Amino acid sequence: MRRYSLTRLLKEAASGHQGWGRQWRAPEPKKEYDVIIVGGGGHGLATAYYLASVHGVTNVAVLEKGWIGGGNTGRNTTIVRSNYLFDESAALYNHAVNLWEGLSQELNYNVMFSQRGVLMLAHNHHDVISFKRHVYANRLNGVDNEWLSPEECKEYCPPLSISPDIRYPVLGGALQRRGGTARHDAVAWGYARGADARGVDIIQNCEVTGLKRHPDGSVAGVETTRGTIGAKRIGVVAAGNTGVVMGRFGLRMPVESVPLQALVSEPVKPVFPCVVMSNAVHAYISQSDKGELVIGAGTDQYVSYSQQGGIQIINHTLDAICELFPQFTRMRMLRSWGGIVDVTPDRSPIIGKTPIEGLFVNCGWGTGGFKATPGSGHVFAHTLATGEPHEINAPYSLDRFRTGRLIDEAAAAAVAH
Amino acid sequence: MLLIRCPYCGERPEVEFHCGGEAHIARPETPTETSDADWAGFLYYRTNPRGVHAERWVHNHGCGRWFNALRDTVSDRFVTTYEMGTPRPEAGSDVTRA
Amino acid sequence: MNQPFRLAAGGRVDRSRPLTVTFNGRKLSGYRGDTIASMLLASGSHLAGRSFKYHRPRGILSHGSDEPSALLSVDWRADRGPGYRDPNNRATVVEAREGLVAKTQNHWPSLETDVGAVNDLLSPIFVAGFYYKTFMWPRKFWDKVYEPVIRRAAGLGEAPEVPDSDRYANRHAHCDVLVVGAGPAGLSAALAASADGSKRVILADEGFELGGSLLNDATSTIEGKPAMAWVEETLAALDARENVVVLPRTTVFGYYNHNHVAMVERVADHRDAAPESLARERLWQVRAGEVILAAGSHERPLVFENNDRPGIMLADSVRAFINRYAVLPGKEIVVATSGASAYRAALDAKAAGMGVTLVDIRLEQDCGAELADARAAGITVKTGHTVIKSLGTKRVTGLVVAPLGNGGQIGDKTTLACDCVGMSGGWTPSVHLFSQSRGKLAFDAELDAFLPGQSAQAERSAGACHGVYDLAAVIADGAKAGGGSVTVEATPSYTGFQPVRVLPTDADPSRVKAFIDFQNDVTAKDIKLAVREGFQSIEHVKRYTTTGMATDQGKTSNMNALGLVAGTLGRELPAVGTTTFRPPYTPVTFGALVGPARDDLFDPVRKTAIDPWAEKNGAVFEPVGLWRRARYFPKDGEDMRAAVARETKAVRTSVGIFDASTLGKIEIVGPDAAEFMNRIYTNAWTKLKPGRCRYGLMLREDGFVYDDGVVARLAEDRFHVTTTTGGAPRVLAHMEDYLQTEWPDLDVFLTSITEQWAVIALQGPNARKLLEPFVTDVDFSDDVFPHMSVTSGFVCGVPCRLFRVSFTGEQGFEINVPADYAESVWKTLYEAGQKYDIVPYGTETMHVLRCEVGFIIVGQETDGTATPDDLGLSGLVSKVKPDFVGKRSLTRPDMVASGRKQLVGLLTKNSDEVLDEGAQIVDDPAQPIPMKMLGHVTSSYASSNCGRSIAMAMLADGRSRIGETVWVTTPQGFTEATISNAVFYDVKGETADA
């Protein structure tokens, strides 16, 4: 891998940028790999990268049915934060934030991780208790999160209305300064380039259609639209399509796939300095480097793979945005889109073993997967390399649905991810 | 926004309805004799198909009645809706699988 | 008149209605029917903005909603004060009106002299994706240094600074046929679809004048008459039909599931004297039986060096400005084209008096009748020529062209002096809405275009968006889509073009800036770089280069980008794919989408019957779900703590009155009512006698506490159930779900009675004394009407359901009266209560009182992860019932494991210290981070009755640790507290031993 640098950029500028090579190869699939990762989104690519860089497992293929980063990686609102309530969640997401902080340098690819702060607004007494519970728990877990008065919220985010006369006045907020946003596509591409440079084969337009198993039941490989490919271990990281892939492998999962919508406004000059989330009125918003207001909307209520939701979801979200930021009603929606998110009963992911020997799964990130990308890839690489979960992902087993040991952040706090 | 045919009221916009998830998941007759794994299967495991999905809806801002529907989760097209308690109809062959 | 480029006659502007607008501080003159773009051109200027990345001067590229370059900040009602300005308006569609104030964007200090233009010089560095390769060192510099600079440079206009002063409206409609676009195809379709009067037809068009492409056409005839005469006749015919609604200024922007179509109508901005009450825009949500898409097509720019200079525009736009607006875009024009249609522009320019040269990349023999027509008109036509580049910076001054040899070699270059260029690289059908409907696109190599293929919804396409370009054929196609059939005689259109991606040149392609996406400053070399770096699907290229992601959503650029990617890879175009089009078709204001859901209508407030009294009596309110509830009633400048101390004291010493109307109430009636209750609640109900009450606990199927409340058995077959305020709708839904889907055999009816019964709670030792005189038909003796019982009677002459229950531990009554009578009953009791120093109290006091006696609140002590046993309520869980909702889950391994959090009390060492609700609990505050957390504080109050602070907490194995000491977080650090039972106050006298 030829390193990116300002010097090289200047040199290339002088020669018309003819010297940049491919960021990753387009190899033909080999007959067999040590590890096959099904799904070329951020999580799958990060898994491949850490398998190679941390565990030295380089005989790895990432199989992607479309183009890498084309699913939820490229469709989310790019928020990164780790101020989760439960120890299990704080450990997982903070692991990710720690990796985010050095990710551009590690990958030699600017993923534009911008720690502009994530401010979560409280609008009623219940929110206040819930967010204080988070702030205290985070403090004891070493996760930064602080309570702000309405005036401090306004100072941190000037467009915010803290008028006591609005329907759900802002009673305060929880601010995680280490939170922020990153450039979603760059995360996929940066991991792909890093993994490729370490020998990982990234194979696009290769849909997995079935599972090959040894007589003892353990995995032998996968059937794909580009032929059968052998594998010693398989990790399914297929987000919204997890249910489909696992269904082809004969496994039913505790996940359902629903549409999640988001939208951006036309680009404007800097007007919004941070990320604001409000669960009570359901809105989250930030401004991209390009100048677009990036706004996350809710999920539709039914299972769907259509990547399209109803306009009423968008309308409802904008109602809330304009209630909190009344100057934005004259802004215009430029583009809206939908992703397919796989949601578990406790809205926490499943990262670990499956009933089939050698088959592992990393799914169920629901509406909150992007922020975890580096951490998710890192612990799943450990799981695939060693055959056992990392201590951070051990609680995220499939078995918790049998025992009842759920990690239910949403029930605990009514906080969407 | 979906247009949903309530078997009792006719076609109405989706905002009048609430979706109750996958249909035909029978609650075990004797839960206390059901294993933890089977109980988890009842509580949490779902078909989540890419294609025709049998699902429960309630016309809560209308007649208030529950019914079942077959809907293609790829096109979001409804194949049919039918009354609670009746068996799942055969899915139409014209369902798109985009 | 400051309109040197306005033609003396002609056009569709209304010369009887002159007007002026302000453009960067200077006055532009024009007429009704102009756009700001046509007025700017009439003044002789093309310069309309600076580009996004390189800050290059930009002019007006198009004449419609596909405009990528001429974006303006517009103050629509500068005379009315602030709150009417917004950025990024396309000058080509801003309908001119007296008093508009427009400004160009993205430059400093001025449009003419922009410091940011230095980016253009640095552009060899600022190629596609350069930012992924640098700005990484030092690590902390990204969001502190580089990013702020980048952000300031990016982002077109300035966001509005103040709240919007306009309002917006919503409308829902149904129709049999919705026709999108009122050009020749759409008009013809609407005419056919509405002909027999049986179908309701809506015809919507984004323009302020209807006619589509025919508005720009001064020469074509239909049935021997000028094309616009046909338009006017058709519109008159449609207008006469009662089943037709024609909506100009209405953009169909979203095509959703099941023919749910969203459109936005611009209602007020164009009106001179719009009343302030008039909505600015109206969102239409239409459910259409079928949709006819007649959305037309977009002309493609040619891609050559400096093809973005002001003065260079699309050929058909040249035609539009001359014919529709009677404005010459210059004096000397070069029309550069790869197809036939641009010859019309050349002919119209010539006829309007411009000097015209035509440069056609096609060879002589590949041209049609248009070539001879042009030459006959005296136009010099250079066939087989390519455009090398344009000259000039803030305005094009010339075009360098050269003949192409047989092998594609570049011949001798000629410079054609000009002040205007009309270019045409062919046409792209507008398949945006078809794609949004999730229909499948099919590539037509002959038309070099993606056309509507297999439909996914009840929709048809007609006219140019269907790949039909000849005028007579377009009208026939429209009629066919509308269910009719028509044949008209019309002037043959010049159709056909030779697809070119980037015009041949001998310049080093890695050095020239030939723009594909004008707004996002994406050049052909950017796209080639992306392909070289391995981005090979169009979605990847789009994201890496940002082509097609600007506010025009790539209307003019998508096909050029796709073609270039395919060409660079040596693949067929369809193999590269096409991007999926997403709503909206053109940007839509948030305001339109929000509609009236602002301020008071954002989320309607639910108020109880007693709310007006509370408001009059100085209550401080809090939102609880959709309700607003009185939180406390401060007197004489009391703060909350003082007011609550007074209110809680009064309840325990005399009597308090409380509005409990928001409690959810459900009536459960039928022969199987008790059996239904047995299955829904954890407790047993069979033995509860009519007239008696019981506290009920309800679980979700996963075993966690869902809701609670007092339940009264009114009769053998009738229960009056109460729920938490927030839980009322979901509890009823939960019950209905089980009743209808799991137990249809049970003969039970469920009815919400929350709104019907208002509830007045009287609590305190004097409650009975106060109440009894006002009640008739009720025996208050303890043996007949004990604690936890219910009876019917009259209070103040009003029928009531009288509950003897208590959520405070004191003697208490909850008086259910029909909501309409509640305020008067309340007032009567309050007046009579004066002799007992009655106090009205709110939710905060209620919370303190119930905490003192150890009652939980679902949603405060519980959080969706608590079991009955966690709350110390296992006594409410029947051991004998074979089943109830949630029973099975309670025996799952983790539900019975040790270490679960249990409800306890916490008493701070310093009795004045009130813990923070939400505070975390540890054993050792000195342990290293991450600390072992044991639980958290769920409720915490200063209790005047207890003479100290009290708190409830959920604590790991808490019940076995009573008496031990723990440490609780405070904003500053930790404080010490002792674990206790979660009951703090010993009620004297009659207690509510629930």
Side-chain angles (χ1 to χ4, degrees):
Chain A
M1 180 176 92
R2 292 190 60 188
R3 285 186 63 77
Y4 292 157
S5 66
L6 181 59
T7 326
R8 178 134 184 256
L9 184 65
L10 294 173
K11 218 151 120 200
E12 284 293 338
S15 63
H17 297 277
Q18 296 300 307
W20 302 111
R22 296 183 63 102
Q23 297 196 0
W24 58 87
R25 298 163 294 129
E28 285 301 311
K30 291 190 232 167
K31 266 203 149 80
E32 192 182 28
Y33 292 91
D34 292 337
V35 178
I36 280 179
I37 291 161
V38 181
H43 290 237
L45 293 164
T47 305
Y49 172 81
Y50 292 115
L51 269 172
S53 69
V54 176
H55 303 280
V57 182
T58 57
N59 186 26
V60 174
V62 177
L63 308 184
E64 166 54 47
K65 76 179 164 83
W67 38 280
I68 61 167
N72 295 339
T73 301
R75 292 165 190 270
N76 67 85
T77 50
T78 80
I79 297 170
V80 176
R81 65 181 181 90
S82 65
N83 50 353
Y84 283 73
L85 178 63
F86 292 126
D87 299 350
E88 297 90 337
S89 320
L92 177 60
Y93 292 99
N94 223 38
H95 184 51
V97 168
N98 291 337
L99 290 168
W100 274 115
E101 286 182 334
L103 195 59
S104 293
Q105 291 71 32
E106 158 133 26
L107 296 178
N108 182 234
Y109 206 101
N110 189 354
V111 301
M112 303 182 195
F113 180 45
S114 169
Q115 292 179 295
R116 57 183 79 169
V118 174
L119 177 62
M120 301 171 76
L121 300 175
H123 298 276
N124 55 47
H125 186 57
H126 180 267
D127 282 354
V128 172
I129 300 176
S130 168
F131 288 176
K132 286 195 171 174
R133 187 176 167 197
H134 279 69
V135 167
Y136 282 123
N138 290 157
R139 192 173 92 195
L140 304 189
N141 265 326
V143 175
D144 83 296
N145 197 10
E146 60 198 275
W147 177 256
L148 300 190
S149 69
E151 293 71 27
E152 289 167 327
C153 290
K154 173 88 180 165
E155 198 184 330
Y156 198 76
C157 181
L160 177 66
S161 167
I162 55 166
S163 160
D165 300 326
I166 64 173
R167 178 68 175 90
Y168 298 110
V170 174
L171 301 183
L175 172 65
Q176 183 177 33
R177 294 182 192 269
R178 277 176 86 199
T181 58
R183 174 84 184 105
H184 53 12
D185 293 326
V187 175
W189 302 337
Y191 274 121
R193 174 166 164 267
D196 175 85
R198 286 164 177 79
V200 172
D201 283 353
I202 293 162
I203 301 165
Q204 303 186 84
N205 299 306
C206 179
E207 182 168 4
V208 171
T209 54
L211 183 69
K212 296 288 253 191
R213 298 170 72 167
H214 290 299
D216 68 356
S218 63
V219 302
V222 290
E223 287 161 1
T224 78
T225 49
R226 295 174 67 172
T228 301
I229 309 174
K232 298 192 176 78
R233 284 183 181 148
I234 297 167
V236 175
V237 199
N241 283 300
T242 299
V244 176
V245 174
M246 297 300 263
R248 288 173 186 166
F249 293 179
L251 288 180
R252 208 170 148 94
M253 294 289 290
V255 292
E256 287 194 297
S257 298
V258 296
L260 174 70
Q261 296 185 76
L263 65 113
V264 293
S265 75
E266 294 183 332
V268 287
K269 293 292 178 192
V271 64
F272 205 84
C274 56
V275 180
V276 169
M277 306 177 64
S278 166
N279 297 292
V281 296
H282 200 96
Y284 38 109
I285 175 169
S286 64
Q287 188 175 16
S288 73
D289 287 338
K290 214 182 147 192
E292 297 153 334
L293 295 175
V294 181
I295 295 171
T299 53
D300 280 87
Q301 54 176 334
Y302 47 82
V303 170
S304 178
Y305 292 87
S306 65
Q307 296 192 330
Q308 186 187 58
I311 189 176
Q312 75 277 13
I313 306 283
I314 297 282
N315 292 352
H316 183 63
T317 295
L318 288 174
D319 293 352
I321 292 291
C322 293
E323 174 77 358
L324 293 173
F325 309 101
Q327 81 214 59
F328 288 160
T329 49
R330 297 185 84 90
M331 294 286 291
R332 297 189 192 88
M333 173 168 82
L334 164 58
R335 187 169 60 247
S336 64
W337 65 91
I340 310 165
V341 297
D342 48 324
V343 182
T344 63
D346 62 359
R347 277 75 100 207
S348 284
I350 301 164
I351 319 170
K353 298 180 183 183
T354 71
I356 296 175
E357 181 68 31
L359 179 67
F360 299 82
V361 69
N362 181 350
C363 71
W365 290 92
T367 60
F370 178 72
K371 65 176 77 70
T373 306
S376 160
H378 193 263
V379 299
F380 197 47
H382 176 99
T383 309
L384 283 166
T386 65
E388 292 299 326
H390 187 281
E391 63 174 350
I392 289 178
N393 67 310
Y396 293 91
S397 68
L398 258 178
D399 195 47
R400 72 178 190 271
F401 299 102
R402 183 185 63 83
T403 63
R405 194 174 187 78
L406 305 183
I407 307 166
D408 201 337
E409 291 276 338
V415 171
H417 290 226
Chain B
M1 190 193 299
L2 305 180
L3 185 65
I4 302 172
R5 184 178 295 281
C6 169
Y8 309 99
C9 306
E11 286 187 331
R12 295 288 189 279
E14 180 194 337
V15 288
E16 293 186 12
F17 298 84
H18 170 73
C19 185
E22 186 169 357
H24 305 297
I25 295 176
R27 192 169 185 272
E29 293 271 324
T30 48
T32 46
E33 291 162 29
T34 306
S35 72
D36 286 333
D38 289 347
W39 186 250
F42 160 69
L43 281 182
Y44 301 129
Y45 283 68
R46 296 295 178 263
T47 313
N48 196 26
R50 196 180 157 84
V52 177
H53 186 232
E55 59 195 17
R56 303 163 353 111
W57 289 86
V58 59
H59 192 188
N60 52 349
H61 299 292
C63 63
R65 294 182 73 174
W66 282 91
F67 59 92
N68 287 333
L70 293 184
R71 184 178 52 86
D72 184 333
T73 61
V74 177
S75 68
D76 288 329
R77 207 171 67 76
F78 281 93
V79 179
T80 185
T81 54
Y82 53 103
E83 292 179 18
M84 269 297 157
T86 54
R88 175 179 170 148
E90 289 295 311
S93 56
D94 59 334
V95 172
T96 56
R97 289 193 68 117
Chain C
M1 290 304 284
N2 176 26
Q3 304 185 52
F5 284 79
R6 181 78 67 178
L7 290 167
R12 303 193 57 79
V13 292
D14 182 352
R15 289 169 202 260
S16 70
R17 296 174 70 190
L19 57 90
T20 58
V21 302
T22 310
F23 180 87
N24 280 356
R26 71 190 162 98
K27 298 282 182 201
L28 293 181
S29 304
Y31 303 106
R32 263 284 153 179
D34 265 322
T35 62
I36 292 190
S38 64
M39 291 173 72
L40 187 63
L41 292 181
S43 79
S45 176
H46 276 254
L47 187 59
R50 289 277 174 169
S51 73
F52 191 80
K53 188 166 159 188
Y54 301 136
H55 289 249
R56 285 167 70 98
R58 286 284 160 79
I60 295 158
L61 181 73
S62 79
H63 63 284
S65 64
D66 50 2
E67 174 62 31
S69 297
L71 301 179
L72 305 174
S73 159
V74 175
D75 192 333
W76 299 85
R77 301 278 173 198
D79 54 324
R80 275 191 195 162
Y84 294 98
R85 185 197 69 81
D86 44 34
N88 304 345
N89 292 282
R90 288 149 292 168
T92 49
V93 295
V94 174
E95 195 173 345
R97 175 171 60 70
E98 183 67 37
L100 289 183
V101 177
K103 289 196 176 89
T104 51
Q105 306 182 144
N106 204 30
H107 46 66
W108 185 84
S110 71
L111 176 63
E112 281 72 20
T113 315
D114 177 15
V115 169
V118 68
N119 287 2
D120 200 25
L121 300 175
L122 296 174
S123 63
I125 302 169
F126 297 163
V127 292
F130 78 98
Y131 29 74
Y132 299 128
K133 295 170 177 151
T134 184
F135 301 137
M136 287 180 267
W137 311 272
R139 198 178 110 177
K140 299 270 181 205
F141 267 38
W142 169 250
D143 44 5
K144 304 294 178 285
V145 181
Y146 303 127
E147 187 181 46
V149 173
I150 289 173
R151 293 186 78 181
R152 269 198 299 278
L156 296 163
E158 303 271 353
E161 301 85 1
V162 296
D164 195 350
S165 299
D166 265 312
R167 52 182 293 271
Y168 301 82
N170 268 194
R171 178 147 180 198
H172 296 263
H174 290 79
C175 67
D176 297 297
V177 182
L178 171 67
V179 182
V180 181
L187 287 169
S188 175
L191 201 62
S194 61
D196 70 3
S198 69
K199 289 179 179 159
R200 296 163 300 168
V201 175
I202 295 177
L203 172 63
D205 189 282
E206 64 178 350
F208 56 84
E209 222 186 336
L210 303 180
S213 60
L214 299 180
L215 290 165
N216 314 324
D217 191 338
T219 47
S220 294
T221 60
I222 299 169
E223 301 289 34
K225 284 176 285 192
M228 279 309 292
W230 177 83
V231 170
E232 277 149 27
E233 280 169 21
T234 307
L235 284 170
L238 291 172
D239 198 41
R241 292 179 184 170
E242 285 190 356
N243 56 326
V244 180
V245 175
V246 178
L247 296 170
R249 297 185 183 86
T250 304
T251 304
V252 177
F253 70 83
Y255 198 139
Y256 297 89
N257 269 321
H258 305 167
N259 270 4
H260 188 238
V261 178
M263 34 199 225
V264 65
E265 179 186 4
R266 300 186 300 285
V267 180
D269 279 346
H270 64 283
R271 296 203 192 190
D272 278 323
E276 290 198 33
S277 60
L278 188 68
R280 181 190 184 206
E281 294 174 347
R282 178 180 294 120
L283 176 72
W284 287 74
Q285 295 186 61
V286 180
R287 188 75 72 171
E290 52 184 278
V291 176
I292 296 174
L293 300 172
S297 58
H298 302 285
E299 196 166 22
R300 301 177 197 170
L302 289 171
V303 181
F304 57 89
E305 183 173 1
N306 296 338
N307 60 342
D308 63 324
R309 293 306 189 192
I312 302 179
M313 55 204 318
L314 294 169
D316 216 51
S317 300
V318 169
R319 221 176 153 211
F321 285 112
I322 294 172
N323 295 331
R324 179 172 176 187
Y325 299 103
V327 169
L328 293 183
K331 296 198 164 93
E332 196 64 40
I333 187 170
V334 177
V335 175
T337 185
S338 68
S341 66
Y343 282 70
R344 288 274 177 222
L347 287 165
D348 290 351
K350 181 79 179 173
M354 293 175 78
V356 182
T357 311
L358 237 165
V359 178
D360 193 336
I361 194 162
R362 297 177 302 170
L363 298 175
E364 200 90 13
Q365 63 268 27
D366 295 332
C367 299
E370 67 274 5
L371 181 58
D373 292 352
R375 288 197 170 133
I379 296 172
T380 308
V381 184
K382 292 171 176 290
T383 54
H385 272 61
T386 185
V387 179
I388 302 294
K389 64 176 173 182
S390 79
L391 303 175
T393 305
K394 288 179 203 162
R395 177 77 183 256
V396 64
T397 58
L399 211 57
V400 179
V401 302
L404 281 171
N406 282 341
Q409 70 276 23
I410 306 294
D412 291 340
K413 293 171 197 158
T414 317
T415 299
L416 302 173
C418 63
D419 59 358
C420 178
V421 172
M423 60 179 169
S424 178
W427 293 88
T428 305
S430 176
V431 292
H432 297 69
L433 291 168
F434 175 79
S435 174
Q436 284 186 31
S437 81
R438 292 195 265 158
K440 283 220 186 320
L441 295 171
F443 186 68
D444 184 315
E446 196 173 327
L447 294 178
D448 190 50
F450 284 96
L451 295 181
Q454 194 193 343
S455 290
Q457 305 201 39
E459 138 289 320
R460 271 173 274 185
S461 293
C465 73
H466 194 212
V468 177
Y469 294 128
D470 179 71
L471 181 54
V474 163
I475 291 171
D477 199 38
K480 188 175 159 210
S485 166
V486 71
T487 312
V488 295
E489 290 277 328
T491 310
S493 304
Y494 294 157
T495 61
F497 63 92
Q498 173 185 323
V500 283
R501 308 307 176 195
V502 181
L503 289 180
T505 176
D506 57 356
D508 176 356
S510 71
R511 303 279 174 188
V512 303
K513 279 204 275 290
F515 287 87
I516 300 270
D517 184 318
F518 286 68
Q519 190 181 124
N520 271 354
D521 275 346
V522 181
T523 62
K525 66 181 160 67
D526 287 322
I527 293 196
K528 288 185 189 163
L529 171 63
V531 173
R532 211 155 50 236
E533 291 194 82
F535 297 91
Q536 307 202 328
S537 99
I538 190 63
E539 280 291 349
H540 269 166
V541 172
K542 179 176 145 184
R543 285 158 180 272
Y544 193 64
T545 64
T546 75
T547 190
M549 299 188 79
T551 63
D552 60 325
Q553 282 214 44
K555 292 187 181 70
T556 54
S557 63
N558 276 342
M559 280 305 290
N560 281 337
L562 265 171
L564 182 55
V565 172
T568 309
L569 287 169
R571 289 191 201 151
E572 292 298 307
L573 201 140
V576 179
T578 181
T579 57
T580 312
F581 294 98
R582 306 277 179 203
Y585 175 69
T586 54
V588 179
T589 55
F590 289 2
L593 296 165
V594 168
R598 293 160 73 186
D599 304 326
D600 289 347
L601 296 178
F602 167 61
D603 210 0
V605 181
R606 287 179 87 178
K607 294 179 183 173
T608 70
I610 294 146
D611 184 275
W613 186 93
E615 181 158 345
K616 215 176 296 163
N617 284 270
V620 172
F621 293 96
E622 67 166 339
V624 181
L626 285 175
W627 294 96
R628 75 165 191 173
R629 300 191 72 181
R631 192 172 186 193
Y632 56 98
F633 292 81
K635 269 188 174 171
D636 312 325
E638 282 177 330
D639 62 7
M640 181 169 86
R641 192 164 169 167
V644 169
R646 175 178 51 74
E647 292 173 11
T648 50
K649 204 90 201 162
V651 172
R652 297 235 182 268
T653 53
S654 181
V655 64
I657 186 167
F658 174 69
D659 179 7
S661 303
T662 64
L663 278 186
K665 295 172 280 291
I666 300 165
E667 198 152 307
I668 295 175
V669 187
D672 297 321
E675 174 59 20
F676 177 76
M677 292 294 292
N678 278 338
R679 296 186 192 182
I680 282 286
Y681 283 85
T682 63
N683 340 41
W685 299 92
T686 317
K687 290 180 184 161
L688 182 69
K689 291 195 174 66
R692 292 299 151 94
C693 303
R694 178 172 288 167
Y695 172 71
L697 193 64
M698 183 185 300
L699 309 182
R700 299 188 308 217
E701 196 71 280
D702 62 8
F704 297 117
V705 171
Y706 191 50
D707 208 83
D708 69 347
V710 168
V711 176
R713 190 167 199 173
L714 302 175
E716 278 297 329
D717 64 349
R718 186 175 292 260
F719 290 84
H720 175 122
V721 163
T722 65
T723 75
T724 57
T725 293
R730 59 181 159 80
V731 168
L732 179 62
H734 173 82
M735 289 178 169
E736 277 288 354
D737 188 350
Y738 275 92
L739 178 60
Q740 291 186 37
T741 70
E742 292 292 343
W743 312 315
D745 51 310
L746 295 186
D747 190 359
V748 178
F749 290 92
L750 311 175
T751 308
S752 168
I753 51 171
T754 303
E755 300 274 357
Q756 281 66 32
W757 293 106
V759 183
I760 301 166
L762 285 179
Q763 301 276 311
N766 290 321
R768 174 168 157 184
K769 267 191 280 180
L770 168 60
L771 177 62
E772 199 166 357
F774 295 96
V775 178
T776 47
D777 294 347
V778 172
D779 180 347
F780 272 80
S781 59
D782 283 341
D783 49 339
V784 179
F785 188 39
H787 180 59
M788 292 302 273
S789 59
V790 63
T791 187
S792 295
F794 292 85
V795 61
C796 308
V798 175
C800 71
R801 280 183 185 169
L802 186 59
F803 287 67
R804 184 157 176 186
V805 292
S806 169
F807 198 45
T808 61
E810 299 298 331
Q811 183 190 72
F813 298 89
E814 290 187 356
I815 308 152
N816 287 245
V817 290
D820 287 348
Y821 297 101
E823 195 180 1
S824 85
V825 173
W826 173 285
K827 282 177 178 165
T828 305
L829 293 172
Y830 183 70
E831 286 305 314
Q834 293 308 314
K835 63 172 173 270
Y836 303 108
D837 295 323
I838 190 169
V839 296
Y841 67 94
T843 50
E844 189 67 20
T845 292
M846 178 267 284
H847 282 179
V848 177
L849 292 166
R850 64 86 204 179
C851 183
E852 287 173 349
V853 293
F855 293 156
I856 63 156
I857 290 181
V858 169
Q860 180 135 2
E861 272 60 59
T862 73
D863 63 6
T865 66
T867 66
D869 186 61
D870 296 345
L871 299 165
L873 298 176
S874 50
L876 297 176
V877 180
S878 165
K879 306 276 187 300
V880 296
K881 288 196 294 184
D883 190 19
F884 55 81
V885 174
K887 179 180 168 77
R888 173 61 185 84
S889 289
L890 294 176
T891 58
R892 293 186 292 170
D894 195 60
M895 309 289 260
V896 294
S898 65
R900 292 194 66 86
K901 291 175 187 169
Q902 298 171 334
L903 182 73
V904 292
L906 285 182
L907 297 171
T908 46
K909 278 274 147 76
N910 169 2
S911 65
D912 286 340
E913 182 169 16
V914 179
L915 295 170
D916 252 359
E917 290 171 342
Q920 295 286 332
I921 303 163
V922 299
D923 271 336
D924 172 13
Q927 66 185 297
I929 281 171
M931 293 195 184
K932 172 87 185 142
M933 282 175 265
L934 304 172
H936 70 284
V937 175
T938 58
S939 294
S940 174
Y941 310 99
S943 165
S944 57
N945 291 312
C946 298
R948 59 156 302 131
S949 68
I950 57 173
M952 287 177 169
M954 294 296 287
L955 181 69
D957 293 324
R959 285 200 295 271
S960 64
R961 300 192 57 189
I962 287 174
E964 293 180 29
T965 296
V966 287
W967 292 83
V968 184
T969 55
T970 66
Q972 291 74 35
F974 289 91
T975 191
E976 217 175 346
T978 306
I979 305 168
S980 71
N981 276 317
V983 180
F984 307 93
Y985 182 80
D986 190 13
V987 179
K988 314 286 185 297
E990 183 197 339
T991 61
D993 49 345

